[in-house]
Amino acid sequence: MPCSPRILLPVFGSKNTLLKAYEDSGRSMRATGKALGTSEKTIMRRMRQYGIEWDKKVFYPCNDNYFDELNERSLYWLGFLATDGCVTKHNYTYEIKLGLALKDLNHLQIFKENIASQSPIHEKIIRKKCGENGFLKDKYYSCQITISSEKIFNRLAEFNIVPNKTHIYRLPDKLKNHPDIRHFIRGCLDGDGWWREHKNNGKNYTTEIRVGMCGTPIFVKEMFDLIKDECCIESGTYYIRKSGKTADFEFCAR
């Protein structure tokens, strides 16, 4: 009786190539599949073939009630997650992800400690095509933590931090008149903002300090107006970028 033909897995490299992609992707099966142009299931089959063990899904505990009380720290992290965080839902799992450049690893460790999470922080390499979409390098070193908590996921939604918020985020109504909103603003500025020195015509005596932020047009305009009002600032610039999907504001002073 003839043998059934063997089903060959897609060829995308050697065992060492697979291991390197797995480590560079933060030991995530889904991210490894994406990096190698195949599916998560195919990666699992190939790892079994090579006899490679991989991380099984583990849920690490954290303080699920952390955002129930709005104080200096929780408001700061709400602002940071609103601008630099990501929330996702997969079937019955709820994830809150925060990824930063590797040089900001200490900041991620502070977040981990504040929220009392036992989740590991993974370091990984993000590969980009230099010169496209404004990328200056072909790879970036980053770190990321993933929090699994349905309660925090639902609590963040009350502050408009929802899946695919990139082009729809706006200032939460429940924070507009909050007496400690400055901590939320500080988190937003640390997440998607900047401060820098600017020298007009290269002359030291005209050095300015500039503070700004980017984001959705509606959110950036709300923050721009709020900061001008709270800080009694008469100047400042606000403009929508050519794409129409993002905007910037900037304040400057000598």
Side-chain angles (χ1 to χ4, degrees):
M1 181 176 179
C3 297
S4 300
R6 183 181 178 187
I7 299 175
L8 298 177
L9 296 172
V11 178
F12 47 71
S14 65
K15 178 179 179 179
N16 289 336
T17 300
L18 178 56
L19 277 171
K20 187 176 186 307
Y22 180 56
E23 293 296 335
D24 289 350
S25 300
R27 302 179 70 82
S28 165
M29 302 295 279
R30 184 184 295 110
T32 303
K34 185 176 181 180
L36 295 175
T38 187
S39 68
E40 181 178 352
K41 290 183 178 180
T42 298
I43 294 297
M44 293 174 67
R45 289 198 300 270
R46 181 56 67 89
M47 292 183 82
R48 288 194 191 99
Q49 183 186 56
Y50 284 140
I52 302 172
E53 293 187 358
W54 65 88
D55 294 341
K56 302 299 189 293
K57 185 67 176 179
V58 179
F59 292 93
Y60 297 95
C62 66
N63 179 6
D64 294 306
N65 304 314
Y66 184 75
F67 292 104
D68 287 356
E69 179 185 351
L70 297 182
N71 52 42
E72 178 178 346
R73 289 189 177 183
S74 63
L75 282 167
Y76 171 84
W77 289 118
L78 278 175
F80 203 94
L81 288 169
T83 51
D84 230 10
C86 173
V87 296
T88 56
K89 181 179 182 299
H90 302 287
N91 296 326
Y92 300 103
T93 62
Y94 301 81
E95 296 181 341
I96 298 90
K97 297 181 180 180
L98 186 58
L100 301 175
L102 189 56
K103 64 182 179 64
D104 296 321
L105 174 62
N106 182 63
H107 204 57
L108 209 57
Q109 291 171 333
I110 294 174
F111 172 71
K112 175 179 176 175
E113 292 172 4
N114 284 182
I115 205 168
S117 171
Q118 295 183 23
S119 296
I121 295 175
H122 294 294
E123 298 179 13
K124 60 181 181 178
I125 299 175
I126 300 176
R127 300 188 182 279
K128 301 292 183 180
K129 192 167 184 179
C130 185
E132 287 190 1
N133 299 319
F135 293 112
L136 302 178
K137 298 181 290 185
D138 59 358
K139 61 182 178 180
Y140 292 82
Y141 297 90
S142 66
C143 51
Q144 178 178 284
I145 188 171
T146 300
I147 308 295
S148 297
S149 171
E150 181 179 0
K151 182 170 183 179
I152 291 180
F153 180 93
N154 292 330
R155 180 62 170 160
L156 293 180
E158 298 176 18
F159 298 92
N160 300 337
I161 303 173
V162 296
N164 303 313
K165 63 176 173 56
T166 304
H167 299 302
I168 63 172
Y169 191 78
R170 64 178 304 163
L171 185 66
D173 289 336
K174 60 171 51 182
L175 290 183
K176 289 182 178 179
N177 297 312
H178 196 282
D180 291 324
I181 193 173
R182 63 188 182 280
H183 302 305
F184 175 80
I185 295 174
R186 184 162 51 88
C188 292
L189 290 174
D190 276 359
D192 266 348
W194 63 84
W195 74 268
R196 60 191 176 91
E197 290 184 335
H198 178 77
K199 296 181 180 181
N200 293 328
N201 299 321
K203 297 178 181 179
N204 291 332
Y205 64 83
T206 57
T207 297
E208 298 175 336
I209 297 298
R210 297 192 173 189
V211 179
M213 194 188 83
C214 64
T216 64
I218 181 63
F219 180 51
V220 170
K221 185 63 166 62
E222 289 173 326
M223 293 285 281
F224 178 70
D225 293 339
L226 179 62
I227 293 174
K228 286 189 68 172
D229 182 55
E230 292 292 330
C231 298
C232 301
I233 300 174
E234 296 182 359
S235 61
T237 58
Y238 164 81
Y239 56 92
I240 299 176
R241 297 186 186 182
K242 290 181 179 180
S243 66
K245 296 180 179 180
T246 56
D248 293 26
F249 73 66
E250 191 168 66
F251 296 103
C252 61
R254 292 183 180 178

